[in-house]
Amino acid sequence: MFNTDESGRSFMPFGLYDEGEYSWDHVTLGIFVPWWLVSIEVDLDGDGTWRQTQMLKHVQQIVSLESESNVTLRRVQQISPHFENNHGWEMIDVKKIVLCNNGNNIAKEPVEFIQYELTNGEIITIPEDITSIENVIKIIYSFE
């Protein structure tokens, strides 16, 4: 699909895009860790709204987006490698993302963490070594 120049660098053949067009008409994903496809709506201070879809690497970036006063999370999906047949990827809707803590640890300081639930029923905690949830501090995203 790509041509290679004398130095071995790949480039897109001319025929894949129209004259004056600066984007590709398709992309092939080859990912090995989960990514996040996040659709947001941004309020433009009374001048309407703007919708955008972003591909993010860490769930913590979704928490940061949600904390912006003019941003509303519209849809969150996890894109992950398809482990059953070792090729391709799958996209799963996220049901809920919450910011939590586990009360007091040995140092008497609460430890904050993120937990999310996928629509396939899988529940993941970041970091993974957290075993108990005592307080939900904030619901970051909920798709019901």
Side-chain angles (χ1 to χ4, degrees):
M1 182 91 317
F2 293 95
N3 293 333
T4 306
D5 64 13
E6 359 359 77
S7 68
R9 291 179 296 185
S10 296
F11 63 94
M12 186 188 317
F14 179 77
L16 290 179
Y17 56 92
D18 293 332
E19 186 176 335
E21 199 173 305
Y22 297 103
S23 64
W24 298 350
D25 65 351
H26 70 280
V27 175
T28 301
L29 287 178
I31 60 174
F32 304 101
V33 296
W35 279 72
W36 304 90
L37 192 65
V38 181
S39 297
I40 63 172
E41 187 173 283
V42 180
D43 180 11
L44 301 174
D45 294 326
D47 291 333
T49 58
W50 176 55
R51 289 190 178 228
Q52 180 184 40
T53 300
Q54 299 181 0
M55 198 166 174
L56 304 174
K57 186 175 180 180
H58 301 288
V59 70
Q60 292 87 342
Q61 293 171 297
I62 300 169
V63 174
S64 295
L65 263 179
E66 189 276 336
S67 68
E68 298 290 326
S69 63
N70 63 336
V71 173
T72 303
L73 299 175
R74 290 295 175 200
R75 187 172 189 187
V76 179
Q77 297 170 293
Q78 184 185 63
I79 303 171
S80 61
H82 194 276
F83 294 111
E84 290 178 11
N85 56 15
N86 255 354
H87 73 283
W89 47 274
E90 60 185 348
M91 192 176 307
I92 304 168
D93 282 304
V94 174
K95 185 175 182 179
K96 182 173 31 175
I97 302 173
V98 292
L99 183 63
C100 308
N101 73 27
N102 65 345
N104 293 333
N105 64 13
I106 296 170
K108 304 293 185 203
E109 293 292 325
V111 176
E112 287 189 359
F113 60 94
I114 298 167
Q115 186 175 71
Y116 63 90
E117 182 178 354
L118 303 175
T119 54
N120 68 2
E122 189 176 359
I123 298 174
I124 290 83
T125 303
I126 307 291
E128 295 175 357
D129 62 347
I130 300 293
T131 57
S132 69
I133 298 174
E134 293 190 19
N135 302 307
V136 173
I137 299 169
K138 184 176 184 181
I139 297 173
I140 304 300
Y141 172 77
S142 180
F143 174 75
E144 300 294 334

